[in-house]
Amino acid sequence: DAGVIQSPRHEVTEMGQEVTLRCKPISGHNSLFWYRQTMMRGLELLIYFNNNVPIDDSGMPEDRFSAKMPNASFSTLKIQPSEPRDSAVYFCASSPPREGRTYEQYFGPGTRLTVT
Amino acid sequence: GEDVEQSLFLSVREGDSSVINCTYTDSSSTYLYWYKQEPGAGLQLLTYIFSNMDMKQDQRLTVLLNKKDKHLSLRIADTQTGDSAIYFCAESGYWTALIFGKGTTLSVSS
């Protein structure tokens, strides 16, 4: 299996632009997680989906952030408009069905976002 | 709310043992985990322990859990330069997502 796939790996954009990050989870996994990592705040959970349904989006910083999971093999995280403070590495992770247990999260390589 | 605390840095010499410590606040935590992040990569699950266990050993890794003190540790025996990375402690309840600590940067010198 190719693992969790994220694109792009790097994104540089100007303040005010829309940014879309993409994730393909591992086939057969039914939970998907979006994280943001910065030096100051560490690793933060933004949102997670179970069976394509958003379960907890309390970590989404503000209305500029939105996430969708239209099917089991694809998710997007969108920032509109982007701001310099959104600069971070964004990780997607997926986990297989475990009757509620969420261990064995498999992380993608991340997207490094720089907003100038 | 739930919180997971770790020291930020640990420096050891090659061949020594490394001990990375973590404390958590959620007494209902069901699973506790250690993840490893190498430069430029995502997190990789190293090991996990169920909350009714005290210890788990897996080759060079030993996890100790003191549930009363809400303290978790990861011991790496015979530390190698390839073990240099950031190590994250995390906890979860039965139905909740993971809560991660800020990570401990392990530096191994030869």
Side-chain angles (χ1 to χ4, degrees), chain B residues 44-98:
Chain B
Q44 176 188 8
L45 178 65
L46 277 181
T47 186
Y48 66 92
I49 188 168
F50 190 50
S51 58
N52 67 356
M53 298 169 64
D54 297 325
M55 185 182 86
K56 181 177 181 181
Q57 188 153 2
D58 183 1
Q59 298 182 334
R60 292 190 298 120
L61 305 179
T62 303
V63 179
L64 294 177
L65 175 61
N66 182 327
K67 195 173 181 182
K68 173 175 171 289
D69 295 337
K70 300 190 186 68
H71 182 267
L72 182 74
S73 68
L74 174 69
R75 180 177 180 269
I76 306 173
D78 188 24
T79 312
Q80 303 298 307
T81 55
D83 296 323
S84 294
I86 304 175
Y87 291 81
F88 290 88
C89 171
E91 57 95 6
S92 76
Y94 194 75
W95 291 104
T96 59
L98 300 183

Side-chain angles (χ1 to χ4, degrees), chain A residues 9 33 35 37 40-41 43 45 48 91 99-105 107-108, chain B residues 31 33 35 37 40-43 45 48 88 92 94-98 100 102:
Chain A
R9 292 294 311 276
F33 308 80
Y35 292 90
Q37 185 178 37
M40 289 297 294
R41 300 173 69 90
L43 195 65
L45 176 66
Y48 78 94
F91 288 104
E99 297 272 303
R101 292 177 289 180
T102 60
Y103 65 90
E104 291 185 65
Q105 286 189 22
F107 279 72
Chain B
Y31 290 91
Y33 315 81
Y35 279 78
Q37 184 182 28
L43 278 70
L45 178 65
Y48 66 92
F88 290 88
S92 76
Y94 194 75
W95 291 104
T96 59
L98 300 183
F100 284 89
K102 285 191 164 46

Side-chain angles (χ1 to χ4, degrees), chain B residues 4-16:
Chain B
V4 177
E5 298 282 342
Q6 301 178 238
S7 55
L8 294 181
F9 298 101
L10 177 65
S11 182
V12 300
R13 297 182 71 87
E14 192 174 22
D16 288 350

